[in-house]
């Protein structure tokens, strides 16, 4: 079992390995920028800095964010899959994680909090608000 800091270091390494070994992302990011693509903070969660990708790739796939929302959501979904596998290997049962997606400095960052657990469905991400709604509807008769 990892303590929070070491666990996040392992997650960051696994995410970087996933990007580096992904044939679709081959030559889309340099090693120096890969180190800063994913940053974990104990209170703020995971920050994904998409502008670390090569400029041509970033503009083609992720920019402007309003138009390329489906590509960004798909990238975040795959990040959550990697995190879910890491959770299983580490023996953890669940993780509530805020993921912030950053863009160019002039652009607004987007964030959402996700709940990843042992019944994680990699096809459909479950934001924390959905988990809270599920809990509310299951137990609302008790109140």
């Amino acid at each position: 079992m990892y303590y929070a800091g070491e666990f996040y270091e392992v997650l960051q390494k696994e995410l970087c390995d996933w990007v580096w070994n992904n044939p679709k992302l081959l030559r889309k990011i340099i090693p120096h920028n890969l180190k800063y693509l994913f940053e974990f903070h104990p209170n703020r969660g995971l920050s994904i800095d998409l502008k670390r990708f090569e400029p041509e790739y970033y503009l083609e796939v992720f920019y402007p964010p309003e138009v390329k929302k489906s590509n960004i959501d798909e990238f975040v979904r795959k990040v959550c899959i990697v995190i879910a596998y890491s959770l299983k290997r580490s023996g953890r049962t669940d993780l509530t994680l805020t993921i912030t997606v950053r863009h160019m400095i002039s652009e607004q960052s987007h964030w959402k909090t996700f709940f990843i657990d042992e019944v994680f469905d990699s096809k459909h991400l479950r934001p924390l608000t959905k988990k809270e709604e599920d809990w509310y509807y299951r137990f609302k008769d008790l109140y």
Side-chain angles (χ1 to χ4, degrees):
M1 189 72 142
Y2 300 107
Y3 65 91
E6 186 175 330
F7 179 69
Y8 287 141
E9 288 175 17
V10 170
L11 280 181
Q12 183 176 17
K13 182 186 178 322
E14 290 185 8
L15 287 168
C16 288
D17 289 348
W18 165 70
V19 169
W20 191 252
N21 296 316
N22 187 329
K24 292 181 180 179
L25 299 176
L26 190 63
R27 296 187 182 92
K28 307 297 186 210
I29 192 167
I30 61 173
H32 172 76
N33 284 333
L34 180 61
K35 288 192 290 188
Y36 301 103
L37 177 62
F38 302 105
E39 293 180 353
F40 282 95
H41 186 275
N43 297 328
R44 293 187 301 260
L46 170 63
S47 175
I48 303 172
D49 189 357
L50 293 177
K51 65 186 182 312
R52 293 292 179 168
F53 282 104
E54 292 298 314
E56 301 81 28
Y57 182 76
Y58 171 75
L59 292 172
E60 176 187 332
V61 177
F62 299 118
Y63 191 81
E66 303 80 29
V67 175
K68 306 291 176 105
K69 183 178 181 334
S70 62
N71 292 348
I72 296 166
D73 289 347
E74 180 64 12
F75 188 80
V76 170
R77 185 184 74 81
K78 290 177 181 176
V79 164
C80 287
I81 292 170
V82 173
I83 291 171
Y85 286 133
S86 295
L87 283 175
K88 287 181 184 178
R89 279 195 303 278
S90 71
R92 290 176 174 243
T93 56
D94 61 40
L95 178 68
T96 301
L97 183 65
T98 299
I99 299 178
T100 303
V101 178
R102 296 190 323 219
H103 296 282
M104 292 184 180
I105 293 173
S106 62
E107 297 290 328
Q108 180 178 355
S109 294
H110 303 281
W111 63 271
K112 192 172 275 191
T113 302
F114 296 97
F115 180 70
I116 302 172
D117 61 4
E118 60 275 351
V119 294
F120 174 72
D121 180 4
S122 62
K123 292 178 180 58
H124 306 286
L125 292 181
R126 187 165 50 149
L128 184 60
T129 54
K130 175 73 172 134
K131 174 191 157 224
E132 291 166 347
E133 289 169 9
D134 290 347
W135 184 88
Y136 171 76
Y137 288 116
R138 229 179 303 145
F139 298 106
K140 70 179 181 177
D141 296 333
L142 298 176
Y143 295 100

